[in-house]
Amino acid sequence: MSTQTPNTGGPPWPTVPVAKKAAAAGTAPPPPPPPPPPPQKPVNPAFKYLGLPNLRAKIPSKPWLIFIGITTTWGALVYYDRREKRLALEKWCKKVEHLAAQPLPSNQLPRKIKIYIAAPPGDGISAGRDYFKEYVKPVLVAAALDYDVIEGRRGGEVRTAVGENIRRWRRRRGEKGSSGAVLTSLEGGPGAAEVEIGDDLAEIRRTMGITHEVDEDEGGVMVIGRHTWKEFLHGIHEGWLGPASSQVPPPTPPAPPTQDQPFTIPKTQTRLPIASPTIKPEEYANADLPPSFPHASISLPVASPVVVIPFPHMLGFLNTPIRIYRYLTQRHLADRVGRECAAICLGYSRPFDAQAAEIDVGVYPEEESDWGKKYRSLPEPEEVKEKVVEVVAPPAVEEKKEEAVVSADGEDGLKILEVKGGKKEEGEKAAETKKPVEELSESERYKAALRRDAGEWAGEIVADPRILGRLRRYELPGDEASEMS
């Protein structure tokens, strides 16, 4: 019995695939047809008519999201803080700008204040200058207030300047000083009146009828920073409780010109020599007040009333988080500084609160935590001896070697205490000679400057009650401050 294959429409004989035929013939197979194109997304008509491509929205990658988030957050914080800082300064400038609009006679000088700035611990005077220009100067300029800035680049310069100003005021009131230092005698023989350097300008003003809106010695004082405040207080006590004679040597007069050497203009002295302290804090109570002390006045001239401006200044890599926070919150500091500047411009003052120790606790004691440990503790006597130098006696004298000790003192910062060659007799003292600054190494200069600055800024604030009772502080009243806030 036979079976029949169903007819499928093809030839009844077996067929060979085309690919096998092409391979057998030696030709390549035809390429497959391309896939159909994907359907186009609708084009934005606005992009189409402007000739722009169809932009597709795409989420940035993870690194880009982190970068954009950090930069945007930082920029927003900085922008917000600077805007609020500018508005805070503008607020206090508007409160005092009416003082600039007040008329002033042509023969009258405006009120003038003295500003004391010292280099912050561990930094230079440029930091204090930038701080003054950024926070203090705008308010003073808005009030049209004249000022004289006294800078202290080294520890002790502000103390010396304050003491000299007070001693000069005392000599002008009749106390006798050293006429060989900064005083010159008028013609008239012994006993003639002594005239201070600079009084000729005051005499010219009196002759021409030029007066001051406020007496020059009572215009007010501004002290920037707690370290400057400590030097300022030391200078006040030295000026009122110490001698009236000047402690600063006069400038060397120029040599007379000769035929071989023509006359040249001498260089001006840019730095005030640092005078040694004339009185120690433990001696304040036993010192007598000078005869010219203003007992009847409610405030001390030259040094009061005073306003203390906060000056936070922190250094160090490990303090970077705190420094970043302060960088992003400068608006609060601007408001505090503007309030103090407005107080001295408007002239509101009150006595220091002696019961609450405001002279110490109320003058930003938190700033000392920003200083390095080296500036917060007084140098111990054994720490003063930093280097021992052997001094060989002359060959003619057969004596053993003596020792010299480098110590901090004077304006140059270092001296050498050496023993002369030969045997010391009983009670004989060591000879003291200065070592030029050029011969010192960088480490010796740094250690000397560190000991000098620590001696000025470290330790507790000590004030004599007789001096403290005459000090006044600029401060806005409660009602006035609330209205201005």
Side-chain angles (χ1 to χ4, degrees):
M1 185 178 214
S2 62
T3 60
Q4 188 174 359
T5 304
N7 189 5
T8 56
W13 56 85
T15 59
V16 180
V18 178
K20 291 184 178 181
K21 289 182 178 181
T27 59
Q40 293 186 352
K41 294 183 178 181
V43 181
N44 191 331
F47 291 165
K48 179 179 179 181
Y49 293 121
L50 292 175
L52 299 177
N54 188 20
L55 301 178
R56 295 187 303 170
K58 180 181 178 182
I59 299 177
S61 61
K62 181 179 178 181
W64 274 106
L65 287 176
I66 296 174
F67 172 76
I68 295 174
I70 292 176
T71 54
T72 304
T73 304
W74 178 265
L77 291 175
V78 173
Y79 173 77
Y80 173 76
D81 181 71
R82 297 304 179 269
R83 182 175 68 88
E84 294 298 321
K85 172 184 172 183
R86 176 176 54 83
L87 294 177
L89 289 176
E90 289 180 356
K91 177 186 68 174
W92 294 109
C93 289
K94 291 180 181 179
K95 300 302 180 182
V96 299
E97 63 182 4
H98 67 278
L99 300 175
Q102 294 180 358
L104 194 68
S106 59
N107 63 338
Q108 192 176 71
L109 297 177
R111 177 190 169 198
K112 189 174 185 179
I113 65 174
K114 291 183 179 180
I115 302 175
Y116 293 95
I117 307 177
D123 209 338
I125 189 61
S126 59
R129 292 173 180 169
D130 297 340
Y131 184 84
F132 168 77
K133 293 179 181 178
E134 186 175 359
Y135 293 96
V136 179
K137 187 176 179 180
V139 183
L140 300 182
V141 172
L145 202 62
D146 195 6
Y147 57 87
D148 186 11
V149 180
I150 301 173
E151 296 180 347
R153 302 182 181 181
R154 301 167 295 170
E157 289 189 357
V158 171
R159 171 182 57 81
T160 303
V162 174
E164 284 299 311
N165 290 336
I166 296 176
R167 285 188 283 265
R168 188 178 298 112
W169 186 91
R170 289 169 57 184
R171 291 193 296 270
R172 287 176 177 173
R173 299 307 185 275
E175 294 193 34
K176 295 182 180 180
S178 175
S179 59
V182 296
L183 300 180
T184 56
S185 299
L186 295 173
E187 297 181 358
E194 293 180 334
V195 180
E196 293 284 348
I197 295 177
D199 279 1
D200 50 355
L201 179 60
E203 184 63 28
I204 293 175
R205 289 175 177 173
R206 284 192 294 267
T207 304
M208 299 180 63
I210 299 176
T211 59
H212 289 81
E213 182 182 8
V214 180
D215 191 86
E216 193 172 2
D217 296 328
E218 300 177 358
V221 180
M222 176 182 291
V223 179
I224 299 180
R226 183 176 176 84
H227 61 290
T228 312
W229 172 248
K230 286 190 171 184
E231 285 194 51
F232 180 78
L233 287 179
H234 292 164
I236 290 178
H237 288 82
E238 289 184 12
W240 288 114
L241 303 180
S245 57
S246 176
Q247 305 299 314
V248 177
T252 305
T258 59
Q259 295 181 355
D260 300 335
Q261 185 178 5
F263 176 76
T264 57
I265 300 177
K267 295 182 179 179
T268 58
Q269 187 176 7
T270 57
R271 286 189 175 185
L272 179 69
I274 300 177
S276 301
T278 58
I279 186 172
K280 298 180 180 180
E282 55 268 18
E283 300 174 354
Y284 291 167
N286 299 327
D288 297 330
L289 294 176
S292 60
F293 188 79
H295 295 276
S297 177
I298 61 174
S299 66
L300 288 177
V302 184
S304 182
V306 61
V307 62
V308 187
I309 303 296
F311 187 12
H313 188 75
M314 178 178 288
L315 301 175
F317 177 77
L318 298 179
N319 297 323
T320 301
I322 302 177
R323 297 172 64 184
I324 291 178
Y325 172 77
R326 292 184 179 182
Y327 180 79
L328 297 177
T329 56
Q330 294 183 8
R331 56 188 181 275
H332 304 308
L333 180 61
D335 187 69
R336 292 172 60 192
V337 175
R339 181 187 300 271
E340 300 292 345
C341 293
I344 191 174
C345 293
L346 298 175
Y348 295 106
S349 65
R350 61 166 179 81
F352 274 89
D353 190 355
Q355 300 294 333
E358 186 185 6
I359 198 172
D360 183 10
V361 180
V363 189
Y364 317 112
E366 65 276 4
E367 291 185 11
E368 293 193 16
S369 61
D370 297 345
W371 307 348
K373 295 180 180 179
K374 300 169 289 188
Y375 299 99
R376 287 182 287 179
S377 58
L378 291 170
E380 299 295 335
E382 58 269 13
E383 295 181 0
V384 175
K385 299 181 180 180
E386 295 291 344
K387 184 178 179 181
V388 176
V389 185
E390 291 186 351
V391 180
V392 182
V397 183
E398 296 181 358
E399 300 293 343
K400 60 181 180 179
K401 298 177 182 180
E402 302 291 349
E403 292 184 348
V405 180
V406 178
S407 64
D409 192 13
E411 60 169 312
D412 295 335
L414 290 180
K415 288 184 180 180
I416 280 189
L417 305 178
E418 67 178 4
V419 182
K420 296 180 178 178
K423 292 183 178 180
K424 290 192 298 181
E425 299 180 358
E426 187 176 355
E428 183 181 357
K429 296 183 178 180
E432 186 175 335
T433 58
K434 271 191 177 182
K435 183 177 181 181
V437 182
E438 292 77 9
E439 300 179 5
L440 302 177
S441 62
E442 291 295 332
S443 61
E444 289 177 341
R445 295 185 186 182
Y446 172 75
K447 291 177 181 179
L450 179 62
R451 290 192 298 267
R452 180 195 61 217
D453 296 344
E456 296 288 344
W457 301 331
E460 298 180 355
I461 293 180
V462 181
D464 187 86
R466 298 168 295 179
I467 303 295
L468 180 58
R470 294 292 189 277
L471 282 180
R472 297 182 65 86
R473 180 176 187 175
Y474 285 108
E475 186 181 46
L476 290 177
D479 299 339
E480 190 76 16
S482 60
E483 293 177 2
M484 294 183 177
S485 300

